[in-house]
Amino acid sequence: MERQTPIMDALYDICGSAKARFCTPGHKGDPGFFGGEMLKYDITELPGADNLLTPTGAINESQNLHAGHIHAGAAYYTTGGSTAGILAMLSLFSGKKVIFPRGIHISAANAIFMFGITPIFLRTLPCDYPFVVSAADIKAALIANRDAAAVFIVYPNYFGLCCDIENIAGIAHKAKVPLIVDAAHAAHFVYSSLLPIAPSDAGADIWTESTHKTLPAINGCACLCVGETSFIDKKQAKRALSAFQTTSPSYLMLGSIDYAHAYMRDKGENELFRVITLCERFERMIGSLALFSCPEIRQAGMTERDRTKMVIDVSETGYSGLAVKNILAKQGVHVESADMKNILVLVAAGDTEAHFQILYKALARIEKIRSKNLYFSPYCMPEATKYSQNCRYWDNIEKVRIERSAKRISACIAGVYPPGEVVIMRGQVISFEAAGYLLEARRQDFDMFGIEDDSIWVFEER
């Protein structure tokens, strides 16, 4: 069957016949500017190109093709990444109570603040990898909070660890509330039976998937999806997303989403089989190296693991994972992230056996060193503390050293990469444990957000 790419087809037709562009963007399609030949296809809403906010042509056709393939009730493209989708999803619950995992992306934390949501955070336990929520904890939270309007989960988490989404969906629906899913790292699940169940097949009501993370698309490409049977009205979801869309979307990005979905419909099953086979072979190769291993990760509440996310334990080298990541980068080899113990390798259709060989040889050249046995897990997050929406109306803030921030109310969102989850939200009391966690992450040279010069913004005491 011929590959269907309605947006790309429209771009080729429009740009092939365009002789002069007296419209935006300012480069006018001239390949002499940065971007070269691709600028030819960077257009505005010209006749035949459709309109992302009110699509009736090529964009609408492409969205419907994707929705039909993944068994969703509707799919809406965004060039604002999963961030736009998460803001849109949570905007539907403005002023309401929502159940969240302890670890959420910064976009979800921003949504809580922006929309006056009352968050109910689930417990977290100390662990060496990002924590997976349990169905039992969600059930208990719904019983304790019968006025909760929705359940929000991350599926899978940054390391590809999956909670029991089917059971959680059943629990949420029994309580007559929708299941909202940050599925940024799950866009590829629907294309292979070797991967965990896709949100669309697991009963999610609404979810956001990042096309650019695991499919062959440009950075910032994403899609908001509504289930075939959902507690969320798809028209309402579309209106919500429109509030966070630019009125000048990149047609290069829209074409990239269109292409990535068409490519995966056509070749996804075979491509994912190929890269998963490469992952399994590479894990065996890593096992032959004395200083490296690929751990078999198990966690309570975890059902499956995305095998295209490879965790490599480097602790036997004497280096931290952060140091190994830097060593590899100096050789032109880049991995997704690292912590004190591991490096995380994200594998997708764009990877080849040659890429794996380059990584293997780079790791094999690393020699053991003596080091102090220090360990800090960024996944052992402190418990969530008291949160108040009242701070939305406060404007007096000051910067204080992290070690002096305990018992103060944070005026910013702060956290650590990896896993890129929020440790302190704006309006949350900073506990001694949270301050200590941030200080130690700083000492160990983790990338951080919300921290400036070993200081954090807090509201002035009243």
Side-chain angles (χ1 to χ4, degrees), residues 101 119 173 201 302 348:
H173 294 160
D201 295 325
M302 172 183 156

Side-chain angles (χ1 to χ4, degrees), residues 211-363:
T211 319
H212 71 95
K213 290 189 187 300
T214 56
L215 306 186
I218 294 172
N219 254 335
C221 295
C223 186
L224 174 66
C225 304
V226 181
E228 281 187 315
T229 57
S230 174
F231 283 13
I232 306 292
D233 180 76
K234 60 186 180 182
K235 291 181 180 179
Q236 189 180 12
K238 180 180 179 297
R239 287 194 297 271
L241 182 60
S242 293
F244 301 95
Q245 299 271 43
T246 173
T247 55
S248 301
S250 164
Y251 273 84
L252 283 172
M253 294 175 70
L254 291 172
S256 182
I257 300 173
D258 186 44
Y259 171 83
H261 288 159
Y263 181 89
M264 294 302 287
R265 287 194 299 268
D266 184 23
K267 294 187 174 183
E269 187 173 359
N270 289 337
E271 282 292 273
L272 288 168
F273 177 80
R274 177 184 65 82
V275 296
I276 290 169
T277 301
L278 282 174
C279 287
E280 291 173 347
R281 189 183 309 161
F282 184 72
E283 286 183 346
R284 290 194 293 270
M285 291 169 63
I286 288 295
S288 69
L289 296 174
L291 301 180
F292 301 93
S293 63
C294 294
E296 188 60 40
I297 302 172
R298 290 186 176 85
Q299 235 188 76
M302 172 183 156
T303 55
E304 294 184 84
R305 179 181 162 205
D306 176 7
R307 290 292 173 177
T308 66
K309 295 280 187 72
M310 296 176 52
V311 180
I312 302 176
D313 187 329
V314 306
S315 55
E316 287 299 314
T317 65
Y319 291 102
S320 69
L322 299 169
V324 170
K325 179 185 177 184
N326 290 333
I327 291 169
L328 294 173
K330 289 175 182 177
Q331 301 175 61
V333 180
H334 301 282
V335 297
E336 174 68 16
S337 72
D339 54 36
M340 295 301 292
K341 211 178 155 183
N342 311 288
I343 57 173
L344 177 64
V345 177
L346 187 155
V347 182
D351 288 297
T352 66
E353 186 169 1
H355 293 146
F356 280 97
Q357 290 294 338
I358 291 168
L359 175 58
Y360 177 80
K361 290 175 183 177
L363 290 173

